[in-house]
Amino acid sequence: MVAEGLKFNWDVQHNIPQENSDRVMLLAYAPNSKEMSFNNSGAQRIKGCDILKVIP
């Protein structure tokens, strides 16, 4: 968790040709409150990280 929201990190594999244009989908679900936050078009996969803004 960072000030802007949830920070996601992943390994970047440069041997996958589609990785230059692929984007990630981010999803967070809080089962106790049954709330979710998502981003269908996150950062490019080659970036290696993105931040999902969550509703407090």
Side-chain angles (χ1 to χ4, degrees), residues 8-9 19-20 24 26 31 38 49 51 53:
F8 290 82
N9 296 296
E19 190 166 300
N20 291 328
V24 298
L26 306 172
F38 65 93
C49 68
I51 296 175
K53 295 179 183 173

Side-chain angles (χ1 to χ4, degrees), residues 1 4 8-11 17-19 23 25 27-28 31-32 37 41 49-50 52-53 56:
M1 189 92 177
E4 298 86 12
F8 290 82
N9 296 296
W10 56 88
D11 293 330
Q18 298 87 349
E19 190 166 300
R23 293 194 170 269
M25 181 178 137
L27 171 68
N32 290 340
S37 295
S41 183
C49 68
D50 198 0
L52 176 64
K53 295 179 183 173

